Amino acid sequence: MARILQGNLHRSRLAHDLLPQFVAEEKVDILLISEQYRDRDTPSWVSNDAKTAAVWMPRRKIADMEKGDDYVRVRVGRITCFSVYLSPNLTAADFTARLGALEDAIRDVSGELVIGGDFNARAVEWGMSATNRRGRAILEMAARLNLVVANEGNTTTYRRPGYGESIPDITFVSEMTIHKIRDWRVTEEYTASDHQYILFNINEESASTASRNQDRMPRWNTRRMDREVLQEVIQSAELPSSGLPHELIGRERAMTLVERTTKVTMPRVSSSHQRRPVYWWTDEIEELRRESLKARRRAQRKHNRPEAPDLDKKHEEARKELRDAIKASKRRCWSRIIDEAENDPFGKGYVIVTRKIGEMRRTEPMEAVAIEKIIDKLFPTHPIRLEKDETNGPTDEIPLFTEGELIAATSSLKSGRAPGLDSIPAEILKAVATQQPELLLEMYNQCLV
């Protein structure tokens, strides 16, 4: 399941600053952006040359992409996403030409589609009271491409005090994708833009993938393992032959006993991921964002009344206070990093710089001779080995595992690593082998019989 945000920043620096915090709070995976304040310096951000449309994937890498005059196309797994912006200042002829170029780009893509952007058009199909000329042209294009409007209800996305409200932001999806869209909504949080963001989820998994995910073995949080309880459970455990049903043999015996020990000594790993706020976020900034939202709502409700100018002024003052607080917080954080770098050269500043260099580094093309040398080193040629004559070796009896072999094998396991298909952490096997090795020896030797 991927979470997608669609929105117009309206060239606002404050909206640009607040966006990463909103992404962290809502756990957004893919962003379809229009009219960005500026491009972000990260490989996971792609925009068109006019800087009017962009796609940002904070947690993913962008592989397949294409840019146009009014759009950006990015492929995410089995789904292709378009971010679109069509200016309201285009003449009728220019609008028709730009819409035709967008249609050609969409037609060249096969499979599932998600198209989000600011189209600056009106149509009843996405919640407006009437359909204008632009809206009819867009609907005709959607019909030719088998696209469906995903907008729900008539909640406005453009809200500017004194200028009215409308719905220029539209989400289109292909017919095969519409049934995967979940929880489409217009957010009510403060964005510092004249536009409200659109949020929705999309199921990227096929039925077979979802079934496999449900059948996955549990993961365990080894950092919270209770070693005292572990020792008590191991000491009180009975041998498999006396404590388990006789019909369980081999691997089933080991799994049953060790799983019992694992369940009572450590919790499972939570599947939810809590994202950190942006580095400069504070309680004061959160409160100022809340006050800015209240001020804007008051100005919107009273925009045709005598008190509207005073409310608009208060809204601008709240925006300025929020903007200044963000700038001051960023400066404080930057000064703190500089001070820490004086005392610890390999601290947080070092981590930030090396991460940025790692993102920007690109592999230079190599000559054929250098590539051949690397391949020869990685995959050396060995002489052909003759098969050994093993006819004289023992063939009728397999020696049982010893306690020394068991301890040596478990000691070689690395802690903190992902377990195998049995989902049993290495820490549990080490503890059992050290404190009561006969529990494992009997079960492993049963596998040799």
Side-chain angles (χ1 to χ4, degrees):
M1 187 76 72
R3 193 159 179 77
I4 298 179
L5 180 146
Q6 171 188 336
N8 186 321
L9 301 187
H10 210 249
R11 306 294 186 189
S12 168
R13 177 174 181 173
L14 185 54
H16 175 88
D17 288 337
L18 290 175
L19 184 60
Q21 176 63 22
F22 190 86
V23 169
E25 292 175 348
E26 295 292 341
K27 301 179 181 179
V28 179
D29 300 299
I30 305 168
L31 292 90
L32 309 179
I33 301 297
S34 303
E35 289 195 291
Q36 62 269 29
Y37 172 72
R38 65 169 177 243
D39 289 340
R40 296 187 178 275
D41 186 16
T42 171
S44 60
W45 175 285
V46 178
S47 69
N48 62 347
D49 295 335
K51 312 299 183 186
T52 57
V55 176
W56 182 25
M57 296 195 293
R59 301 174 58 200
R60 307 187 182 201
K61 292 183 179 180
I62 295 179
D64 183 16
M65 52 81 86
E66 179 188 350
K67 303 178 183 181
D69 291 336
D70 306 285
Y71 69 88
V72 173
R73 174 187 63 78
V74 171
R75 187 163 187 85
V76 185
R78 297 162 50 244
I79 299 172
T80 302
C81 297
F82 280 80
S83 178
V84 181
Y85 177 75
L86 294 174
S87 172
N89 300 321
L90 294 174
T91 64
D94 288 340
F95 177 81
T96 302
R98 299 289 183 91
L99 192 64
L102 175 62
E103 180 176 353
D104 292 340
I106 298 173
R107 197 182 299 278
D108 291 340
V109 178
S110 59
E112 303 180 31
L113 293 169
V114 173
I115 302 165
D118 185 349
F119 288 81
N120 285 297
R122 296 171 176 262
V124 176
E125 281 73 7
W126 52 80
M128 297 300 295
S129 58
T131 302
N132 62 7
R133 184 175 179 180
R134 279 189 167 207
R136 283 191 293 271
I138 292 173
L139 290 173
E140 290 172 0
M141 177 198 72
R144 291 191 294 269
L145 297 173
N146 296 321
L147 300 177
V148 182
V149 177
N151 291 46
E152 299 177 6
N154 57 358
T155 304
T156 57
T157 61
Y158 176 79
R159 305 173 189 175
R160 186 176 181 183
Y163 289 83
E165 302 181 6
S166 64
I167 310 175
D169 303 290
I170 318 166
T171 307
F172 290 101
V173 296
S174 55
E175 291 181 343
M176 66 179 71
T177 312
I178 187 64
H179 68 280
K180 298 183 179 182
I181 301 297
R182 301 284 186 274
D183 306 320
W184 190 100
R185 67 182 177 91
V186 178
T187 66
E188 294 298 332
E189 288 79 4
Y190 186 69
T191 65
S193 167
D194 294 336
H195 294 249
Q196 292 301 115
Y197 296 147
I198 293 171
L199 270 177
F200 58 94
N201 298 321
I202 183 168
N203 186 8
E204 298 177 281
E205 300 176 343
S206 61
S208 59
T209 304
S211 176
R212 287 196 302 271
N213 290 339
Q214 293 177 356
D215 295 337
R216 285 179 179 173
M217 300 295 288
R219 296 172 56 208
W220 304 98
N221 190 345
T222 56
R223 295 181 180 180
R224 297 177 59 187
M225 180 172 59
D226 192 329
R227 298 190 178 275
E228 293 183 1
V229 175
L230 174 63
Q231 186 174 1
E232 293 177 4
V233 172
I234 293 175
Q235 294 298 331
S236 62
E238 298 179 345
L239 291 176
S241 56
S242 59
L244 295 175
H246 292 291
E247 59 269 17
L248 296 179
I249 60 173
R251 178 178 177 273
E252 287 76 9
R253 287 175 174 266
M255 285 291 296
T256 304
L257 178 66
V258 181
E259 277 184 355
R260 288 179 184 175
T261 306
T262 305
K263 288 179 181 178
V264 298
T265 56
M266 67 183 74
R268 291 189 178 187
V269 174
S270 174
S271 58
S272 61
H273 300 282
Q274 188 69 26
R275 298 192 185 179
R276 297 178 180 177
V278 290
Y279 68 94
W280 45 262
W281 192 255
T282 63
D283 293 339
E284 177 193 2
I285 294 176
E286 185 173 2
E287 181 62 27
L288 289 173
R289 182 178 67 172
R290 196 177 297 114
E291 292 299 324
S292 297
L293 177 60
K294 292 179 182 179
R296 191 186 69 175
R297 285 177 174 173
R298 294 191 193 102
Q300 288 174 336
R301 294 191 188 105
K302 306 289 185 178
H303 70 277
N304 287 328
R305 299 187 181 183
E307 59 267 31
D310 292 337
L311 293 175
D312 288 341
K313 183 179 180 180
K314 290 181 180 179
H315 175 221
E316 289 301 321
E317 290 175 353
R319 281 175 57 93
K320 183 178 184 303
E321 190 175 359
L322 175 60
R323 185 166 55 247
D324 293 343
I326 292 176
K327 290 181 181 179
S329 180
K330 286 183 176 181
R331 284 195 295 267
R332 285 195 302 270
C333 293
W334 179 245
S335 299
R336 193 180 304 122
I337 291 175
I338 294 175
D339 294 340
E340 290 178 358
E342 295 293 335
N343 301 323
D344 183 9
F346 297 100
K348 194 175 295 183
Y350 176 81
V351 172
I352 294 173
V353 172
T354 52
R355 186 187 299 125
K356 178 67 68 173
I357 293 175
E359 288 182 349
M360 299 176 63
R361 185 171 57 246
R362 297 289 185 271
T363 303
E364 296 294 332
M366 293 185 292
E367 298 181 356
V369 177
I371 294 176
E372 290 181 0
K373 289 182 178 180
I374 293 174
I375 294 176
D376 290 340
K377 290 291 185 181
L378 292 175
F379 307 101
T381 303
H382 298 286
I384 299 176
R385 299 177 181 177
L386 299 176
E387 295 184 1
K388 296 182 179 179
D389 185 9
E390 298 181 353
T391 56
N392 297 328
T395 58
D396 54 345
E397 184 177 352
I398 301 176
L400 299 178
F401 295 116
T402 65
E403 182 177 333
E405 291 174 334
L406 174 65
I407 295 177
T410 54
S411 298
S412 65
L413 299 175
K414 294 183 178 180
S415 301
R417 299 298 178 88
L421 296 176
D422 56 9
S423 76
I424 302 299
E427 290 82 354
I428 292 292
L429 295 177
K430 287 182 177 181
V432 175
T434 303
Q435 299 180 32
Q436 202 167 350
E438 59 272 11
L439 294 176
L440 295 176
L441 278 177
E442 181 176 346
M443 290 182 284
Y444 289 150
N445 286 329
Q446 282 288 333
C447 299
L448 302 177
V449 177

